[in-house]
Amino acid sequence: MKLSKSILVIALAAASGSALANADLIFTNGDIVTVTGEADRAQAVAIKNSKIIAVGSNADVLKEQGSNTEVRDLGGKTMTPGFIDSHGHFSQYLPLINSPFVYPSPLGNSDSLPAIQTMIAEYLAQPGLDKDRLHFAFGYDNTELVEQRHPTRWELDDISGDFALCLVHISGHLAVCNSKGLDVIGYNKDTPAPAGGVIHKTKEGELTGLIEESATYAMFPHLNISPQELVVNLAKVQDMFMSYGVTTAQEGLAMAHTMRSMKQMADNNLLKIDLLSYAKWTDFEGIINDMPALGKYHNNFKFAGMKITGDGSPQGKTAYLSTPYFEVPHSHAYHYHGYPVLNQEEMNHFVDIAFKHNAQLISHANGDAAADQLINAVEKANKKYGERDHRTTIIHGQTARLDQIQRMVEANMMASFFPAHTYFWGDYHKKSVLGPWRASNISPMGWANEYGLKFTIHMDAPVVYPDQMRNMWTAVNRITRSGETLGEWHKISPYQALEAVTIHAAYQNFEDAEKGTVEVGKRADLVILEANPLDVDPMVIKDIKVLETIKDGNTVFTL
């Protein structure tokens, strides 16, 4: 194994400090990808008091061995820095983890409306299920159903009996509720659609059950669970994230009550991994005094900043585009191009609040028109407050144009792309949503590389599971379900993909000084893999198993 010169120097420097002697734990005989350079590898790593104290060859690192040091032989297995979920919704799993997930293949097997009905009916048939609660199922995808449409409230009524139910779209931006569910959230045929949302009706004015964007917000107060359930479900959710090698997770849109619940988890030392939470734009100032200091950890919980949602989803055809959809949804005019959640004045206002508090801002913008709104507001705030290192991050940036990439660089912004769209919805984007050219440029990582825009990649869990190996695989291959390559020029290398879920994600979180690489002084957040994603055929990256996840030097998951 070839060891990089820089790694050997680090190891020798570490070994010379007597205060660093007698490691708690040493891993040897590994294929350690340090993410300090594409060719950099090490054989061994030593850990003491949750920190990495030596990295390098077996011989050098074993100098840190003391009488009480545990030495573990990796047997040639690959070790990398712990994975960092650069955008997701950790807390959304807390009330949903015991609910049915009606994903289509390959995430599940709900590929038809009868399959969805059967799964939900089996869930509702459980003895003792609370009939006074609004129940949820998550993950249906109309674009992958045999019927090629959304379910209706009447189809849910057929299998839900006395239960109130809402079935949430895989994008998280739409939902279908049964009749009782609509009653619970307060919708009837006379309810006006909220700004930035749609309540769908038949030609006769009857509710179909389908609701979009801000109209779904009425469900959110019902996504609550008891303190006892919270503790049990938190353990399940953390176990799931850790099984994917995630050592730092994100809650990318938290309302006030969610923020307080997460702080309570931290107060009770229930978090095994780090969790960054971004408050919903409308709730940010109302809770800032109730939270830990901005950007500081409290028992593994960090109040990280503000989140703005600027538009919807491309697969739901609610993203705000500058030009019309390739195939306009039924009942919309030929020039329909989605719609924003906020107008430009409102966007300016909330971006200004984030900058005023020197809070990091992350903002959802799938459509390029929504991206324009965000970039305009950031440029305005930069002029007002001066150039500061906010690391403002555009979330998804699916249809960001080349000129917008250049503007983001000039505004000192970042992007967190969602390249899994190329697999899960790439064919649909090409044929129906965006057309061939725009679809080939979704998640434009090639342009980002060309113009020096630092970026991360994410899975937007629970849109899809927080599976970082599949995340990397989609970014490297950009393969659609039909096997077509979508945007060859936007592929990235396996090493760049690994950077995007480690050191670049740490940078996005202002944590690159302590996470993201295997280096002396960094926290011992590590993952052991069954194979090296940099050495295998890129098409099998998604199949690499996480064997062990290590957080601050302690094993928190083993396969």
Side-chain angles (χ1 to χ4, degrees), residues 12-32:
L12 290 169
S16 66
S18 59
L20 298 181
N22 299 327
D24 299 323
L25 174 63
I26 294 176
F27 290 96
T28 62
N29 296 318
D31 178 14
I32 301 174

Side-chain angles (χ1 to χ4, degrees), residues 506-558:
Y507 178 86
Q508 178 183 307
N509 294 342
F510 291 89
E511 296 179 359
D512 46 308
E514 56 184 23
K515 296 179 183 176
T517 59
V518 184
E519 290 184 274
V520 171
K522 295 282 183 87
R523 291 170 66 174
D525 293 356
L526 305 162
V527 178
I528 300 173
L529 305 173
E530 68 170 349
N532 190 331
L534 309 189
D535 295 341
V536 301
D537 181 335
M539 283 300 294
V540 303
I541 290 174
K542 65 179 174 58
D543 302 316
I544 296 174
K545 291 183 174 61
V546 172
L547 302 179
E548 185 171 345
T549 303
I550 299 158
K551 175 64 181 151
D552 290 323
N554 297 309
T555 296
V556 292
F557 166 81
T558 53

Side-chain angles (χ1 to χ4, degrees), residues 60-135:
D60 285 324
V61 173
L62 283 170
K63 294 175 182 177
E64 305 300 325
Q65 183 178 2
S67 58
N68 295 318
T69 302
E70 177 186 358
V71 179
R72 289 184 52 190
D73 189 337
L74 287 170
K77 294 293 189 294
T78 297
M79 175 180 278
T80 73
F83 298 144
I84 298 171
D85 180 18
S86 62
H87 180 68
H89 301 279
F90 179 93
S91 69
Q92 285 188 14
Y93 277 109
L94 296 173
L96 293 174
I97 194 66
N98 299 315
S99 301
F101 284 80
V102 291
Y103 289 125
S105 304
L107 300 177
N109 55 13
S110 296
D111 298 315
S112 68
L113 290 175
I116 290 174
Q117 289 175 309
T118 297
M119 181 174 285
I120 294 175
E122 290 174 352
Y123 165 77
L124 295 176
Q126 296 176 91
L129 213 59
D130 187 356
K131 290 189 176 182
D132 294 325
R133 170 183 289 183
L134 178 61
H135 292 269

